[in-house]
Amino acid sequence: MRWTERQRLMLEAIGIRVWGPAEEGATAVAEAAPPPEIVAAAPATVARIGGPRPTGVETMDWPALRTAVADCRACKLCQGRRQTVFGVGHERAQWMVVGEAPGEQEDRQGEPFVGKSGQLLDSMLRAIGLTRTPEDAARQVYIANTIKCRPPGNRNPEPEELAQCEPFLIRQVELVQPRIILAMGRFAVQSLLRSNDAIGRLRGRVHRYHGVPLIVTYHPAYLLRNLEDKAKAWDDLCLALQTFQALPNA
Ligand code: SF4
């Protein structure tokens, strides 16, 4: 894989060093990426546990879905939220990023991936030519979380909460119709793929979520604490880009 000088600078911004001269060099890990192997996730089983979740989520348009999420009190996470965190980006983006749950800053600002982890995500996206700022659908991403309300104290989301909230994400995927999904973080990945495996066992291959190719990688907040895994995250971005470029009409 060849990198322009601009891409090299972006890679350095996320802590990845590229060996070799610009336009000629290649990261060994990128060149060595195996052919994508497609693994289908098991179908979802969603169990109701609590209060009223709006009905008809599966046929809602964007305004109705936003209102339904904002009004949702289907699990106990509604009790501690300042606001729901719905999602941002181009509503027909070709790329979709799915994270875990809002943290304190997201809960305050109402937007996923803000603060330092959001800045790292932006740098990672820029490194492969994508952005969350207004752009055309081919360059912009749509970003959402599997959980729309902040778990108190940033605790791990519970399986029932993930199950209650997933219909909203499924509808977002149906409306965006992304060509590829990048799933970030253990709880997002395990929830989407119905797996208890660690990210290390799930990354490096192409999964599917509701028919859409899905690539697994680490959450930017984790990468900020574990700098040594940034190179693996870069491998994952390369696999995602390789998979996207291999799609028909990419
Ligand atoms: S986390 Fe999801 S299911 Fe639970 S109250 Fe918030 S929007 Fe509803």
Side-chain angles (χ1 to χ4, degrees), residues 2-238:
R2 293 172 183 276
W3 310 116
T4 64
E5 185 60 28
R6 182 167 166 271
Q7 285 175 311
R8 289 164 63 92
L9 292 172
M10 288 175 176
L11 288 174
E12 287 177 13
I14 64 172
I16 303 294
R17 192 160 179 195
V18 179
W19 300 95
E23 305 291 355
E24 294 177 5
T27 54
V29 286
E31 293 285 13
E37 170 196 353
I38 296 194
V39 181
T45 302
V46 178
R48 292 291 314 276
I49 61 162
R53 186 176 63 220
T55 56
V57 170
E58 63 279 0
T59 59
M60 287 179 177
D61 59 12
W62 281 113
L65 189 63
R66 284 180 187 280
T67 301
V69 169
D71 293 343
C72 180
R73 304 188 66 80
C75 80
K76 58 183 178 293
L77 294 182
C78 68
Q79 296 166 356
R81 72 186 180 208
R82 284 189 176 86
Q83 58 188 316
T84 53
V85 179
F86 183 76
V88 292
H90 198 297
E91 292 179 351
R92 292 304 299 270
Q94 296 187 1
W95 288 69
M96 190 160 173
V97 172
V98 177
E100 299 187 317
E104 184 181 5
Q105 290 304 314
E106 286 84 3
D107 181 55
R108 285 181 186 278
Q109 299 183 34
E111 181 172 334
F113 288 97
V114 297
K116 287 186 175 176
S117 64
Q119 290 168 11
L120 178 55
L121 173 65
D122 290 344
S123 297
M124 293 167 73
L125 294 174
R126 273 199 303 275
I128 55 172
L130 302 174
T131 177
R132 77 161 88 186
T133 57
E135 261 286 357
D136 60 53
R139 289 203 62 227
Q140 204 183 340
V141 295
Y142 189 86
I143 305 174
N145 281 324
T146 50
I147 290 268
K148 311 302 188 199
C149 301
R150 181 194 179 200
N154 292 342
R155 66 158 169 76
N156 297 333
E158 296 173 359
E160 294 83 1
E161 294 159 356
L162 288 161
Q164 279 296 318
C165 216
E166 189 176 18
F168 296 131
L169 177 66
I170 292 172
R171 188 60 186 153
Q172 286 175 305
V173 171
E174 289 172 348
L175 290 169
V176 175
Q177 297 181 28
R179 304 200 71 204
I180 192 164
I181 295 173
L182 200 53
M184 301 185 127
R186 178 161 68 99
F187 291 102
V189 166
Q190 291 180 339
S191 172
L192 297 181
L193 298 182
R194 306 288 183 271
S195 172
N196 292 321
D197 287 345
I199 285 186
R201 293 179 61 86
L202 293 169
R203 50 180 294 278
R205 52 199 160 122
V206 184
H207 304 267
R208 285 199 177 267
Y209 182 73
H210 289 259
V212 183
L214 181 148
I215 305 297
V216 165
T217 194
Y218 298 101
H219 195 283
Y222 168 89
L223 293 173
L224 289 170
R225 300 189 304 271
N226 298 272
L227 302 182
E228 68 281 4
D229 280 336
K230 281 188 174 180
K232 294 178 184 171
W234 177 240
D235 289 351
D236 300 332
L237 290 180
C238 290

